[in-house]
Amino acid sequence: NAGVIQTPRHKVTGKGQEATLWCEPISGHSAVFWYRQTIVQGLEFLTYFRNQAPIDDSGMPKERFSAQMPNQSHSTLKIQSTQPQDSAVYLCASSLGGNYAEQFFGPGTRLTVL
Amino acid sequence: AQSVTQPDARVTVSEGASLQLRCKYSYFGTPYLFWYVQYPRQGLQLLLKYYPGDPVVQGVNGFEAEFSKSNSSFHLRKASVHWSDWAVYFCAVSLYQGGRALIFGTGTTVSVSP
């Protein structure tokens, strides 16, 4: 079991460029979560999929951020026109999807916007 | 609104000494609570979880936590700290009775002195 895989581990973009972050959940897990971690804001929930369908995106910034889960083996988080304040570690987690299911976290992608 | 408070940003403890990390939650209903640990440059790992039932839960590596509804608390304990416990510890509550987004506290950094 390779755990949750996130690529790339580090990404540097220039202000105004687009960034796409990838997450491969644990095989058999039906729920995928995205979180953002910064020194100032701590760990923040962004969005959540179950069986590939978006369930809750209440934490997603309304502009420039979007997430998709085109198949059960991967999810993407896309940030358009990146800004320095988007710099953070983006964490992906997956779970079996039930009420008692614990979330398993990937190592994160560190995004730096210059 | 649901929230988690970890009042201690940093705790220093001697190796072999006991450890208690405090967590207070605000949640309408029955909370599902978690403690995660983050080692340097790694993702979050689950230490233990509380689902409605026995208020004292056992976790990995000798950690345990006690849920108190009257105090709205979920404190983490360890009887004898090892140098490898040097990490950041996060308390979290799950929305909507589990299986959904996690709301995290700000974390407590544990430093272990020889």
Side-chain angles (χ1 to χ4, degrees):
Chain A
N1 190 339
V4 176
I5 298 172
Q6 291 190 251
T7 55
R9 292 293 306 274
H10 303 273
K11 185 171 183 66
V12 179
T13 66
K15 182 179 176 180
Q17 292 183 327
E18 182 178 287
T20 300
L21 313 180
W22 292 71
C23 171
E24 181 179 331
I26 293 172
S27 178
H29 282 193
S30 61
V32 170
F33 304 79
W34 285 95
Y35 296 86
R36 176 168 65 179
Q37 185 175 25
T38 62
I39 299 295
V40 174
Q41 298 293 333
L43 280 155
E44 304 173 282
F45 165 74
L46 295 176
T47 189
Y48 153 52
F49 295 85
R50 182 186 289 172
N51 295 321
Q52 300 172 231
I55 302 298
D56 182 358
D57 66 353
S58 59
M60 288 278 275
K62 296 310 176 189
E63 297 180 355
R64 302 187 295 106
F65 283 66
S66 62
Q68 294 184 328
M69 192 164 184
N71 57 60
Q72 63 186 7
S73 63
H74 87 274
S75 175
T76 58
L77 179 68
K78 183 180 293 186
I79 309 172
Q80 295 178 311
S81 186
T82 55
Q83 303 297 311
Q85 61 265 31
D86 299 331
S87 297
V89 176
Y90 290 83
L91 294 168
C92 177
S94 71
S95 79
L96 287 170
N99 284 348
Y100 296 90
E102 67 179 83
Q103 295 181 28
F104 295 83
F105 283 80
T109 294
R110 180 175 296 277
L111 175 67
T112 302
V113 182
L114 301 176
Chain B
Q2 298 89 349
S3 66
V4 175
T5 301
Q6 294 181 249
D8 304 308
R10 179 178 289 274
V11 169
T12 299
V13 61
S14 298
E15 190 169 15
S18 64
L19 173 70
Q20 176 169 285
L21 302 181
R22 296 183 290 166
C23 173
K24 300 272 285 185
Y25 67 89
S26 173
Y27 185 80
F28 182 75
T30 302
Y32 287 42
L33 295 157
F34 305 82
W35 276 98
Y36 281 86
V37 61
Q38 188 172 38
Y39 299 105
R41 294 174 297 282
Q42 294 187 29
L44 294 163
Q45 300 176 30
L46 182 69
L47 278 179
L48 47 79
K49 57 195 176 191
Y50 168 78
Y51 298 147
D54 190 335
V56 178
V57 291
Q58 304 296 321
V60 299
N61 298 334
F63 285 94
E64 68 172 28
E66 183 166 4
F67 168 74
S68 171
K69 185 174 182 178
S70 60
N71 294 324
S72 298
S73 67
F74 187 55
H75 300 330
L76 181 71
R77 301 189 294 252
K78 186 171 184 177
S80 178
V81 169
H82 187 263
W83 66 266
S84 60
D85 295 321
W86 192 317
V88 183
Y89 293 78
F90 293 93
C91 183
V93 64
S94 179
L95 301 180
Y96 306 116
Q97 297 184 317
R100 301 288 290 266
L102 293 173
I103 302 299
F104 287 90
T106 51
T108 298
T109 299
V110 172
S111 303
V112 181
S113 60

PDB file of all heavy atoms in Angstrom, chain B residues 36-58:
ATOM      1  N   TYR B  36      -3.972  14.065  15.376  1.00  0.00           N
ATOM      2  CA  TYR B  36      -3.004  13.748  14.344  1.00  0.00           C
ATOM      3  C   TYR B  36      -1.638  14.285  14.767  1.00  0.00           C
ATOM      4  O   TYR B  36      -1.537  15.267  15.493  1.00  0.00           O
ATOM      5  CB  TYR B  36      -3.393  14.401  13.014  1.00  0.00           C
ATOM      6  CG  TYR B  36      -4.469  13.690  12.238  1.00  0.00           C
ATOM      7  CD1 TYR B  36      -5.824  13.930  12.490  1.00  0.00           C
ATOM      8  CD2 TYR B  36      -4.145  12.788  11.233  1.00  0.00           C
ATOM      9  CE1 TYR B  36      -6.807  13.285  11.777  1.00  0.00           C
ATOM     10  CE2 TYR B  36      -5.126  12.135  10.494  1.00  0.00           C
ATOM     11  CZ  TYR B  36      -6.456  12.386  10.768  1.00  0.00           C
ATOM     12  OH  TYR B  36      -7.431  11.751  10.046  1.00  0.00           O
ATOM     13  N   VAL B  37      -0.581  13.647  14.239  1.00  0.00           N
ATOM     14  CA  VAL B  37       0.782  14.105  14.481  1.00  0.00           C
ATOM     15  C   VAL B  37       1.450  14.367  13.140  1.00  0.00           C
ATOM     16  O   VAL B  37       1.186  13.665  12.154  1.00  0.00           O
ATOM     17  CB  VAL B  37       1.590  13.071  15.305  1.00  0.00           C
ATOM     18  CG1 VAL B  37       1.700  11.732  14.570  1.00  0.00           C
ATOM     19  CG2 VAL B  37       2.982  13.596  15.640  1.00  0.00           C
ATOM     20  N   GLN B  38       2.253  15.406  13.114  1.00  0.00           N
ATOM     21  CA  GLN B  38       2.996  15.751  11.901  1.00  0.00           C
ATOM     22  C   GLN B  38       4.471  15.836  12.237  1.00  0.00           C
ATOM     23  O   GLN B  38       4.898  16.748  12.950  1.00  0.00           O
ATOM     24  CB  GLN B  38       2.504  17.060  11.304  1.00  0.00           C
ATOM     25  CG  GLN B  38       3.096  17.396   9.940  1.00  0.00           C
ATOM     26  CD  GLN B  38       2.429  18.610   9.302  1.00  0.00           C
ATOM     27  OE1 GLN B  38       2.084  19.567   9.966  1.00  0.00           O
ATOM     28  NE2 GLN B  38       2.236  18.558   7.992  1.00  0.00           N
ATOM     29  N   TYR B  39       5.236  14.879  11.728  1.00  0.00           N
ATOM     30  CA  TYR B  39       6.682  14.896  11.898  1.00  0.00           C
ATOM     31  C   TYR B  39       7.294  15.822  10.846  1.00  0.00           C
ATOM     32  O   TYR B  39       6.672  16.073   9.806  1.00  0.00           O
ATOM     33  CB  TYR B  39       7.245  13.483  11.811  1.00  0.00           C
ATOM     34  CG  TYR B  39       6.704  12.560  12.866  1.00  0.00           C
ATOM     35  CD1 TYR B  39       5.753  11.590  12.562  1.00  0.00           C
ATOM     36  CD2 TYR B  39       7.126  12.668  14.188  1.00  0.00           C
ATOM     37  CE1 TYR B  39       5.237  10.755  13.536  1.00  0.00           C
ATOM     38  CE2 TYR B  39       6.611  11.843  15.170  1.00  0.00           C
ATOM     39  CZ  TYR B  39       5.668  10.892  14.841  1.00  0.00           C
ATOM     40  OH  TYR B  39       5.149  10.082  15.815  1.00  0.00           O
ATOM     41  N   PRO B  40       8.500  16.311  11.094  1.00  0.00           N
ATOM     42  CA  PRO B  40       9.102  17.266  10.165  1.00  0.00           C
ATOM     43  C   PRO B  40       9.083  16.765   8.721  1.00  0.00           C
ATOM     44  O   PRO B  40       9.453  15.636   8.438  1.00  0.00           O
ATOM     45  CB  PRO B  40      10.533  17.395  10.702  1.00  0.00           C
ATOM     46  CG  PRO B  40      10.404  17.122  12.157  1.00  0.00           C
ATOM     47  CD  PRO B  40       9.334  16.063  12.271  1.00  0.00           C
ATOM     48  N   ARG B  41       8.593  17.629   7.843  1.00  0.00           N
ATOM     49  CA  ARG B  41       8.564  17.379   6.397  1.00  0.00           C
ATOM     50  C   ARG B  41       7.753  16.137   6.030  1.00  0.00           C
ATOM     51  O   ARG B  41       8.020  15.503   5.005  1.00  0.00           O
ATOM     52  CB  ARG B  41       9.988  17.269   5.843  1.00  0.00           C
ATOM     53  CG  ARG B  41      10.765  18.586   5.927  1.00  0.00           C
ATOM     54  CD  ARG B  41      12.218  18.397   5.500  1.00  0.00           C
ATOM     55  NE  ARG B  41      12.943  17.485   6.366  1.00  0.00           N
ATOM     56  CZ  ARG B  41      13.419  17.796   7.546  1.00  0.00           C
ATOM     57  NH1 ARG B  41      13.247  19.018   8.015  1.00  0.00           N
ATOM     58  NH2 ARG B  41      14.083  16.905   8.272  1.00  0.00           N
ATOM     59  N   GLN B  42       6.781  15.804   6.855  1.00  0.00           N
ATOM     60  CA  GLN B  42       5.921  14.669   6.541  1.00  0.00           C
ATOM     61  C   GLN B  42       4.455  15.092   6.606  1.00  0.00           C
ATOM     62  O   GLN B  42       4.120  16.162   7.105  1.00  0.00           O
ATOM     63  CB  GLN B  42       6.170  13.519   7.519  1.00  0.00           C
ATOM     64  CG  GLN B  42       7.556  12.904   7.408  1.00  0.00           C
ATOM     65  CD  GLN B  42       7.694  11.670   8.279  1.00  0.00           C
ATOM     66  OE1 GLN B  42       6.712  10.960   8.531  1.00  0.00           O
ATOM     67  NE2 GLN B  42       8.904  11.408   8.730  1.00  0.00           N
ATOM     68  N   GLY B  43       3.600  14.238   6.103  1.00  0.00           N
ATOM     69  CA  GLY B  43       2.167  14.487   6.188  1.00  0.00           C
ATOM     70  C   GLY B  43       1.632  14.147   7.559  1.00  0.00           C
ATOM     71  O   GLY B  43       2.357  13.755   8.462  1.00  0.00           O
ATOM     72  N   LEU B  44       0.351  14.299   7.707  1.00  0.00           N
ATOM     73  CA  LEU B  44      -0.314  14.032   8.977  1.00  0.00           C
ATOM     74  C   LEU B  44      -0.550  12.528   9.157  1.00  0.00           C
ATOM     75  O   LEU B  44      -0.947  11.854   8.221  1.00  0.00           O
ATOM     76  CB  LEU B  44      -1.660  14.754   9.019  1.00  0.00           C
ATOM     77  CG  LEU B  44      -1.596  16.274   9.039  1.00  0.00           C
ATOM     78  CD1 LEU B  44      -2.941  16.859   8.661  1.00  0.00           C
ATOM     79  CD2 LEU B  44      -1.161  16.771  10.391  1.00  0.00           C
ATOM     80  N   GLN B  45      -0.318  12.090  10.379  1.00  0.00           N
ATOM     81  CA  GLN B  45      -0.572  10.686  10.705  1.00  0.00           C
ATOM     82  C   GLN B  45      -1.549  10.616  11.875  1.00  0.00           C
ATOM     83  O   GLN B  45      -1.420  11.370  12.836  1.00  0.00           O
ATOM     84  CB  GLN B  45       0.732   9.985  11.087  1.00  0.00           C
ATOM     85  CG  GLN B  45       1.781   9.991   9.978  1.00  0.00           C
ATOM     86  CD  GLN B  45       3.085   9.382  10.440  1.00  0.00           C
ATOM     87  OE1 GLN B  45       3.117   8.506  11.303  1.00  0.00           O
ATOM     88  NE2 GLN B  45       4.183   9.838   9.860  1.00  0.00           N
ATOM     89  N   LEU B  46      -2.501   9.715  11.789  1.00  0.00           N
ATOM     90  CA  LEU B  46      -3.501   9.590  12.840  1.00  0.00           C
ATOM     91  C   LEU B  46      -2.905   8.915  14.068  1.00  0.00           C
ATOM     92  O   LEU B  46      -2.299   7.849  13.974  1.00  0.00           O
ATOM     93  CB  LEU B  46      -4.689   8.777  12.331  1.00  0.00           C
ATOM     94  CG  LEU B  46      -5.834   8.606  13.318  1.00  0.00           C
ATOM     95  CD1 LEU B  46      -6.543   9.941  13.550  1.00  0.00           C
ATOM     96  CD2 LEU B  46      -6.843   7.566  12.803  1.00  0.00           C
ATOM     97  N   LEU B  47      -3.089   9.555  15.218  1.00  0.00           N
ATOM     98  CA  LEU B  47      -2.678   8.952  16.493  1.00  0.00           C
ATOM     99  C   LEU B  47      -3.824   8.163  17.116  1.00  0.00           C
ATOM    100  O   LEU B  47      -3.621   7.046  17.593  1.00  0.00           O
ATOM    101  CB  LEU B  47      -2.257  10.045  17.484  1.00  0.00           C
ATOM    102  CG  LEU B  47      -0.858  10.608  17.393  1.00  0.00           C
ATOM    103  CD1 LEU B  47      -0.685  11.686  18.450  1.00  0.00           C
ATOM    104  CD2 LEU B  47       0.184   9.518  17.566  1.00  0.00           C
ATOM    105  N   LEU B  48      -4.994   8.784  17.155  1.00  0.00           N
ATOM    106  CA  LEU B  48      -6.160   8.121  17.726  1.00  0.00           C
ATOM    107  C   LEU B  48      -7.422   8.877  17.338  1.00  0.00           C
ATOM    108  O   LEU B  48      -7.358   9.998  16.840  1.00  0.00           O
ATOM    109  CB  LEU B  48      -6.051   8.008  19.248  1.00  0.00           C
ATOM    110  CG  LEU B  48      -5.643   9.242  20.044  1.00  0.00           C
ATOM    111  CD1 LEU B  48      -6.778  10.204  20.229  1.00  0.00           C
ATOM    112  CD2 LEU B  48      -5.084   8.838  21.414  1.00  0.00           C
ATOM    113  N   LYS B  49      -8.555   8.207  17.559  1.00  0.00           N
ATOM    114  CA  LYS B  49      -9.830   8.797  17.185  1.00  0.00           C
ATOM    115  C   LYS B  49     -10.872   8.465  18.242  1.00  0.00           C
ATOM    116  O   LYS B  49     -10.796   7.415  18.897  1.00  0.00           O
ATOM    117  CB  LYS B  49     -10.278   8.247  15.834  1.00  0.00           C
ATOM    118  CG  LYS B  49     -10.398   6.731  15.798  1.00  0.00           C
ATOM    119  CD  LYS B  49     -10.493   6.205  14.372  1.00  0.00           C
ATOM    120  CE  LYS B  49     -10.509   4.683  14.380  1.00  0.00           C
ATOM    121  NZ  LYS B  49     -10.336   4.110  13.026  1.00  0.00           N
ATOM    122  N   TYR B  50     -11.801   9.383  18.423  1.00  0.00           N
ATOM    123  CA  TYR B  50     -12.920   9.172  19.330  1.00  0.00           C
ATOM    124  C   TYR B  50     -14.216   9.187  18.530  1.00  0.00           C
ATOM    125  O   TYR B  50     -14.532  10.157  17.850  1.00  0.00           O
ATOM    126  CB  TYR B  50     -12.977  10.270  20.408  1.00  0.00           C
ATOM    127  CG  TYR B  50     -14.279  10.246  21.169  1.00  0.00           C
ATOM    128  CD1 TYR B  50     -14.491   9.299  22.180  1.00  0.00           C
ATOM    129  CD2 TYR B  50     -15.318  11.123  20.862  1.00  0.00           C
ATOM    130  CE1 TYR B  50     -15.685   9.252  22.868  1.00  0.00           C
ATOM    131  CE2 TYR B  50     -16.515  11.085  21.544  1.00  0.00           C
ATOM    132  CZ  TYR B  50     -16.691  10.143  22.534  1.00  0.00           C
ATOM    133  OH  TYR B  50     -17.889  10.083  23.208  1.00  0.00           O
ATOM    134  N   TYR B  51     -14.927   8.069  18.646  1.00  0.00           N
ATOM    135  CA  TYR B  51     -16.293   8.015  18.162  1.00  0.00           C
ATOM    136  C   TYR B  51     -17.163   7.789  19.390  1.00  0.00           C
ATOM    137  O   TYR B  51     -16.690   7.220  20.373  1.00  0.00           O
ATOM    138  CB  TYR B  51     -16.485   6.900  17.129  1.00  0.00           C
ATOM    139  CG  TYR B  51     -15.656   7.052  15.881  1.00  0.00           C
ATOM    140  CD1 TYR B  51     -15.171   5.937  15.201  1.00  0.00           C
ATOM    141  CD2 TYR B  51     -15.331   8.309  15.371  1.00  0.00           C
ATOM    142  CE1 TYR B  51     -14.414   6.060  14.052  1.00  0.00           C
ATOM    143  CE2 TYR B  51     -14.578   8.446  14.226  1.00  0.00           C
ATOM    144  CZ  TYR B  51     -14.123   7.319  13.575  1.00  0.00           C
ATOM    145  OH  TYR B  51     -13.370   7.451  12.436  1.00  0.00           O
ATOM    146  N   PRO B  52     -18.406   8.216  19.400  1.00  0.00           N
ATOM    147  CA  PRO B  52     -19.229   8.109  20.608  1.00  0.00           C
ATOM    148  C   PRO B  52     -19.159   6.727  21.251  1.00  0.00           C
ATOM    149  O   PRO B  52     -19.444   5.712  20.607  1.00  0.00           O
ATOM    150  CB  PRO B  52     -20.634   8.416  20.084  1.00  0.00           C
ATOM    151  CG  PRO B  52     -20.392   9.335  18.939  1.00  0.00           C
ATOM    152  CD  PRO B  52     -19.132   8.842  18.284  1.00  0.00           C
ATOM    153  N   GLY B  53     -18.739   6.727  22.540  1.00  0.00           N
ATOM    154  CA  GLY B  53     -18.568   5.461  23.240  1.00  0.00           C
ATOM    155  C   GLY B  53     -17.683   5.674  24.452  1.00  0.00           C
ATOM    156  O   GLY B  53     -17.827   6.669  25.173  1.00  0.00           O
ATOM    157  N   ASP B  54     -16.746   4.781  24.650  1.00  0.00           N
ATOM    158  CA  ASP B  54     -15.825   4.864  25.779  1.00  0.00           C
ATOM    159  C   ASP B  54     -15.075   6.196  25.707  1.00  0.00           C
ATOM    160  O   ASP B  54     -14.451   6.504  24.691  1.00  0.00           O
ATOM    161  CB  ASP B  54     -14.841   3.691  25.713  1.00  0.00           C
ATOM    162  CG  ASP B  54     -14.003   3.560  26.964  1.00  0.00           C
ATOM    163  OD1 ASP B  54     -13.802   4.572  27.675  1.00  0.00           O
ATOM    164  OD2 ASP B  54     -13.541   2.448  27.251  1.00  0.00           O
ATOM    165  N   PRO B  55     -15.065   6.988  26.783  1.00  0.00           N
ATOM    166  CA  PRO B  55     -14.425   8.310  26.717  1.00  0.00           C
ATOM    167  C   PRO B  55     -12.894   8.258  26.655  1.00  0.00           C
ATOM    168  O   PRO B  55     -12.272   9.232  26.246  1.00  0.00           O
ATOM    169  CB  PRO B  55     -14.882   8.989  28.011  1.00  0.00           C
ATOM    170  CG  PRO B  55     -15.216   7.872  28.923  1.00  0.00           C
ATOM    171  CD  PRO B  55     -15.753   6.772  28.052  1.00  0.00           C
ATOM    172  N   VAL B  56     -12.298   7.162  27.056  1.00  0.00           N
ATOM    173  CA  VAL B  56     -10.847   7.042  26.987  1.00  0.00           C
ATOM    174  C   VAL B  56     -10.499   6.160  25.798  1.00  0.00           C
ATOM    175  O   VAL B  56     -10.961   5.021  25.697  1.00  0.00           O
ATOM    176  CB  VAL B  56     -10.261   6.450  28.284  1.00  0.00           C
ATOM    177  CG1 VAL B  56      -8.740   6.295  28.149  1.00  0.00           C
ATOM    178  CG2 VAL B  56     -10.594   7.333  29.472  1.00  0.00           C
ATOM    179  N   VAL B  57      -9.700   6.704  24.908  1.00  0.00           N
ATOM    180  CA  VAL B  57      -9.327   5.948  23.712  1.00  0.00           C
ATOM    181  C   VAL B  57      -7.822   5.786  23.663  1.00  0.00           C
ATOM    182  O   VAL B  57      -7.072   6.684  24.031  1.00  0.00           O
ATOM    183  CB  VAL B  57      -9.836   6.635  22.425  1.00  0.00           C
ATOM    184  CG1 VAL B  57     -11.346   6.561  22.353  1.00  0.00           C
ATOM    185  CG2 VAL B  57      -9.378   8.079  22.340  1.00  0.00           C
ATOM    186  N   GLN B  58      -7.411   4.633  23.214  1.00  0.00           N
ATOM    187  CA  GLN B  58      -5.997   4.320  23.090  1.00  0.00           C
ATOM    188  C   GLN B  58      -5.561   4.520  21.650  1.00  0.00           C
ATOM    189  O   GLN B  58      -6.316   4.249  20.711  1.00  0.00           O
ATOM    190  CB  GLN B  58      -5.749   2.867  23.505  1.00  0.00           C
ATOM    191  CG  GLN B  58      -6.228   2.532  24.907  1.00  0.00           C
ATOM    192  CD  GLN B  58      -5.486   3.289  25.980  1.00  0.00           C
ATOM    193  OE1 GLN B  58      -4.276   3.497  25.887  1.00  0.00           O
ATOM    194  NE2 GLN B  58      -6.208   3.716  27.021  1.00  0.00           N
TER     195      GLN B  58
END
